[in-house]
Amino acid sequence: MGAHSHSHSHDNIDWDAHLERLRAADDFIAPDITEVVAKLLRPGDHSAIEIGAGAGGTAAILAKGLARNGGESQLTIVDTAEQLLTAAGERASEAAEGVTVRTVRADAAADALADEITGAGAPPQADLVYAAFVVHHLPDQLAGLRRLAGLVKPGGRLAVVEFGLQTRVLPADIGIGGPGLEARLVSASEQWFQQMRTEMDGSVRLPIGWPKAMTEAGLADATSFSYLIDRPAPLDESGRVAALRQLSMLRRDADERLAAEDVEALNQLLDPEGEHYAGNRDDLYYLSANTVHVGTKPA
């Protein structure tokens, strides 16, 4: 993620706890991301660059895909956070023998991105460049796409994953506070996101859709497909943890944007000691759609 990602930019972070959360999130969506990567990697692809490391779940899936293609393959993982790079590099290396994995500490918002990658001994361009939930953190998103397009080999592809439909985990009426709580939480979260973009240093609006933006960034045949993360109730343990993680994220921005009654209801849902703890419900589900935008570098 870029320097403006609020989750990675503070050094006072509890990295062990943070990595554990990221690993759990990776494992939860692994089946879905495996399908996405299978759609993106072509049989002749032998190199990939991932922008934004997470805990390495996607890097591991990319490494496996490259290994299946055979031959000498290269995977480069780029992030601003050293702790994430270390974890992701280890996970990807364990996932696939015969794939050379390199980690590069660099910022997708910086013009030096390409130089940092070559400086680390990694190939300057790859068959597939993959960036999930990264570009929306960059002050100038179109400039970011151009920068990422520069990392793509002629004939190769850039894949950018961005939000499709907002995640839902709760029934419409949870029995405390007014019905429709989640819709109001989602709306508050959207407002927070737009404010985050507006207040960012050097922020530039992107008043067009992602495929059109990719075309403006010099890529051809820009297209999109979406994938569904669909886990119906009753959830297993990993699903319950994911649903609670989603509610905790919505809690972060609730205070100044929601009625006191809604904040109180959400607090009760998140209180493991309380009678309304969401983790004890058997009707939580997890439903989310994200969209992958793909553009091809003219040969």
Side-chain angles (χ1 to χ4, degrees):
M1 291 205 183
H4 297 278
S5 163
H6 48 280
S7 55
H8 298 170
S9 50
H10 308 296
D11 291 326
N12 59 355
I13 211 163
D14 175 350
W15 279 104
D16 291 336
H18 189 52
L19 270 168
E20 204 173 306
R21 275 195 304 276
L22 289 173
R23 281 197 187 101
D26 276 349
D27 293 342
F28 180 62
I29 59 166
D32 312 282
I33 300 304
T34 300
E35 283 182 31
V36 168
V37 167
K39 280 188 184 175
L40 292 173
L41 269 185
R42 298 169 300 186
D45 287 350
H46 294 294
S47 55
I49 297 172
E50 185 186 11
I51 309 288
T58 301
I61 292 166
L62 283 165
K64 282 181 196 149
L66 289 168
R68 269 196 299 276
N69 281 351
E72 301 259 310
S73 288
Q74 317 261 351
L75 173 64
T76 306
I77 309 166
V78 179
D79 202 286
T80 51
E82 201 65 66
Q83 289 89 338
L84 297 183
L85 281 172
T86 304
E90 284 169 7
R91 183 149 186 192
S93 301
E94 285 163 15
E97 277 182 39
V99 177
T100 305
V101 177
R102 292 185 184 82
T103 57
V104 181
R105 189 169 186 181
D107 189 346
D111 288 329
L113 178 64
D115 296 339
E116 299 277 5
I117 288 172
T118 38
Q125 292 184 320
D127 296 314
L128 175 66
V129 176
Y130 181 95
F133 308 111
V134 167
V135 180
H136 69 231
H137 282 290
L138 306 180
D140 187 336
Q141 297 167 98
L142 186 55
L145 288 175
R146 286 201 182 98
R147 209 173 285 122
L148 296 184
L151 304 177
V152 182
K153 277 185 179 174
R157 299 193 298 171
L158 170 64
V160 168
V161 187
E162 285 293 343
F163 298 116
L165 299 174
Q166 286 277 9
T167 302
R168 299 291 181 139
V169 301
L170 293 175
D173 189 346
I174 55 161
I176 45 174
L181 172 67
E182 190 166 26
R184 295 189 294 278
L185 292 175
V186 165
S187 168
S189 157
E190 292 267 4
Q191 290 169 32
W192 171 85
F193 179 78
Q194 296 309 335
Q195 185 180 339
M196 182 270 295
R197 286 247 14 122
T198 309
E199 291 174 354
M200 202 181 269
D201 283 345
S203 179
V204 178
R205 284 173 62 173
L206 183 68
I208 50 175
W210 291 108
K212 188 169 179 184
M214 287 195 142
T215 305
E216 301 241 328
L219 298 167
D221 304 322
T223 181
S224 306
F225 67 90
S226 295
Y227 63 95
L228 203 60
I229 301 166
D230 183 11
R231 309 283 194 274
L235 290 170
D236 64 10
E237 180 58 23
S238 72
R240 220 173 18 248
V241 168
L244 288 166
R245 200 167 46 235
Q246 171 65 14
L247 291 172
S248 305
M249 221 158 64
L250 292 171
R251 175 67 188 87
R252 209 179 42 200
D253 319 304
D255 283 328
E256 62 265 38
R257 297 181 197 280
L258 283 175
E261 181 192 42
D262 284 343
V263 175
E264 176 51 30
L266 183 52
N267 286 344
Q268 289 189 50
L269 286 176
L270 288 169
D271 176 10
E273 307 301 312
E275 61 171 315
H276 296 293
Y277 181 49
N280 295 333
R281 296 183 72 109
D282 59 6
D283 58 357
L284 294 184
Y285 59 96
Y286 194 103
L287 183 64
S288 191
N290 295 320
T291 303
V292 187
H293 306 282
V294 188
T296 303
K297 183 78 160 276

